[in-house]
């Protein structure tokens, strides 16, 4: 069996993965470092067969991939793979970290929803100003909630919302049934949105979901509806969202936005009824041990000539 060279973005991650794998399970692989910020000395570009992308700011490393003539597989540390979605067309496989971010992202979707509905952001500002401002806020209980995206993370979000006695509707690209019940298709959104009080976005970013939440989508929502985005920023038309938020008609709790990072002078910072977190849904204390475990399993599989986990389908 030929030796495969697997390039990690930094030596710290490489060493943590090595510590998880017995020597006999990595005898047929060479674990090196190759990224825009760090490269193993004496590493030839011809040697690299597999690249593990950095978790954050992977763009500069992605730009280097064209330099690697024998690259056959790219492994992400994220669930989404839109920055490398073009690679399978070039014969380069892509494997994701599906499952690693599920719990953390689902936690934040719930936290953002509760914080916005219960006015926690207003309470923090009032505390800083030493103002006692008692008011009646909306409860998550009895809210009509829609989750757009019915994959692994969408299902985890649904699990976390169910104990709050919500009226839950789920939407995906195509309508279907599963163990939880009906999943509506996106074609049904026009009739569903007017009756929805909370929309949670966790759909992948694709050509069909790019700016899915546009002016018409937002206009169909009732007054005071809440948009929670833990998917990708480009799923939402930012200009259309800013317009609705500026009027005070809708609310938003956003972990992702377009553009990112959000520029200091961007109008979204100043819109009313808006809660922003800096794209940290899956970046929790649970991330590192889980991603190391998945990467160690990927190394073992590559060592043994098996198919990697979480390969992106080209169908």
């Amino acid at each position: 069996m030929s030796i495969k060279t697997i390039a990690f973005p930094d030596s710290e991650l490489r060493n943590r993965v090595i510590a998880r794998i017995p020597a006999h399970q990595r005898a047929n692989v060479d674990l090196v470092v190759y990224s825009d910020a760090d490269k193993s000395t004496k590493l030839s570009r011809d040697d690299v067969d597999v690249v593990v992308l950095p978790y954050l700011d992977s763009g500069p490393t992605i730009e280097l991939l064209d330099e690697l003539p024998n690259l056959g597989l790219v492994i992400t540390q994220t669930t989404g793979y839109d920055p490398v979605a073009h690679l399978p067309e070039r014969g380069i496989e892509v494997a994701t970290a599906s499952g690693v971010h599920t719990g953390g992202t689902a936690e934040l979707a719930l936290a953002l929803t509760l914080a916005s509905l219960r006015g926690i952001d207003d309470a923090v500002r009032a505390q800083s100003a030493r103002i006692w401002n008692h008011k009646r806020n909306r409860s998550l209980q009895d809210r009509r909630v829609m989750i757009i995206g019915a994959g692994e993370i969408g299902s985890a979000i649904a699990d976390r919302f169910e104990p709050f006695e919500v009226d839950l509707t789920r939407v995906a690209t195509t309508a279907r049934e599963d163990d939880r019940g009906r999943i509506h298709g996106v074609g049904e959104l026009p009739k569903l949105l007017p009756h929805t009080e909370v929309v949670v976005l966790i759909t992948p970013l694709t050509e069909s979901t790019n700016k899915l939440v546009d002016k018409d989508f937002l206009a169909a929502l009732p007054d005071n509806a809440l948009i929670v985005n833990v998917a990708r920023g480009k799923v939402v038309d930012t200009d259309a969202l800013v317009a609705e938020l500026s009027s005070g008609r809708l609310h938003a709790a956003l972990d992702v936005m377009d553009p990112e990072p959000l520029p200091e002078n961007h109008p979204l910072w100043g819109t009313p009824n808006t809660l922003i977190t800096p794209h940290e849904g899956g970046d929790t204390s649970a991330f590192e041990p889980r991603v190391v475990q998945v990467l160690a399993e990927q190394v073992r599989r590559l060592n043994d000539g098996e198919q990697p986990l979480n390969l992106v389908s080209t169908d």
Side-chain angles (χ1 to χ4, degrees):
M1 180 182 295
S2 61
I3 299 290
K4 281 191 175 294
T5 299
I6 305 172
F8 287 79
D10 57 77
S11 56
E12 181 179 356
L13 180 61
R14 170 186 174 275
N15 294 341
R16 291 189 181 206
V17 170
I18 287 175
R20 291 290 301 267
I21 311 171
H24 71 276
Q25 291 186 348
R26 48 186 171 85
N28 299 314
V29 293
D30 184 17
L31 308 186
V32 301
V33 175
Y34 182 89
S35 70
D36 71 299
D38 192 0
K39 298 179 183 178
S40 296
T41 59
K42 300 181 181 179
L43 176 66
S44 168
R45 295 170 182 173
D46 295 344
D47 292 337
V48 179
D49 303 295
V50 180
V51 167
V52 179
L53 291 177
Y55 174 47
L56 300 175
D57 196 20
S58 61
T61 298
I62 292 172
E63 292 179 2
L64 298 178
L65 299 182
D66 287 339
E67 300 179 357
L68 308 176
N70 295 314
L71 181 65
L73 171 67
V74 170
I75 300 173
T76 74
Q77 296 185 63
T78 57
T79 303
Y81 59 92
D82 39 286
V84 290
H86 62 288
L87 293 181
E89 297 177 357
R90 295 169 43 189
I92 300 171
E93 292 185 306
V94 174
T96 73
S98 178
V100 168
H101 303 276
T102 300
T105 304
E107 284 178 1
L108 187 60
L110 177 59
L112 286 172
T113 304
L114 285 169
S116 182
L117 291 175
R118 297 303 300 266
I120 302 301
D121 50 339
D122 290 337
V124 170
R125 286 187 284 268
Q127 179 182 348
S128 297
R130 303 189 177 210
I131 296 173
W132 185 273
N133 183 23
H134 176 93
K135 60 181 178 179
R136 178 172 292 175
N137 291 294
R138 290 186 291 173
S139 173
L140 179 53
Q141 188 178 32
D142 300 332
R143 295 277 75 77
R144 296 189 298 273
V145 176
M146 174 188 293
I147 300 174
I148 301 182
E152 183 176 5
I153 301 178
S155 295
I157 293 172
D159 290 341
R160 286 154 177 78
F161 272 77
E162 279 192 344
F164 287 86
E165 302 174 43
V166 301
D167 181 0
L168 185 64
T169 299
R170 295 176 300 146
V171 176
T173 302
T174 55
R176 57 185 184 272
E177 298 278 338
D178 66 7
D179 293 343
R180 198 187 297 272
R182 177 165 175 75
I183 299 173
H184 298 266
V186 291
E188 300 175 70
L189 283 173
K191 70 178 182 181
L192 296 173
L193 290 173
H195 310 286
T196 301
E197 297 171 289
V198 178
V199 176
V200 181
L201 302 169
I202 189 56
T203 182
L205 177 62
T206 64
E207 289 186 10
S208 62
T209 62
N210 185 40
K211 294 189 178 180
L212 170 69
V213 180
D214 58 9
K215 180 179 178 180
D216 293 338
F217 182 111
L218 296 169
L221 290 167
D223 290 353
N224 292 314
L226 168 64
I227 300 285
V228 179
N229 192 1
V230 290
R232 286 289 186 266
K234 290 184 179 180
V235 172
V236 176
D237 182 331
T238 303
D239 291 341
L241 180 63
V242 167
E244 285 282 9
L245 293 173
S246 297
S247 74
R249 194 180 78 84
L250 298 180
H251 298 246
L254 311 170
D255 185 50
V256 293
M257 52 227 76
D258 178 31
E260 287 186 12
L262 197 63
E264 184 178 352
N265 62 349
H266 197 282
L268 194 58
W269 286 115
T271 53
N273 306 327
T274 305
L275 176 59
I276 292 173
T277 54
H279 200 158
E280 54 193 17
D283 198 1
T284 71
S285 58
F287 163 69
E288 190 169 279
R290 282 168 168 74
V291 80
V292 168
Q293 180 179 0
V294 167
L295 292 174
E297 175 61 15
Q298 299 287 40
V299 170
R300 184 199 67 76
R301 287 173 175 246
L302 291 167
N303 181 80
D304 293 347
E306 299 177 13
Q307 178 172 285
L309 293 170
N310 305 326
L311 277 179
V312 172
S313 173
T314 57
D315 296 338

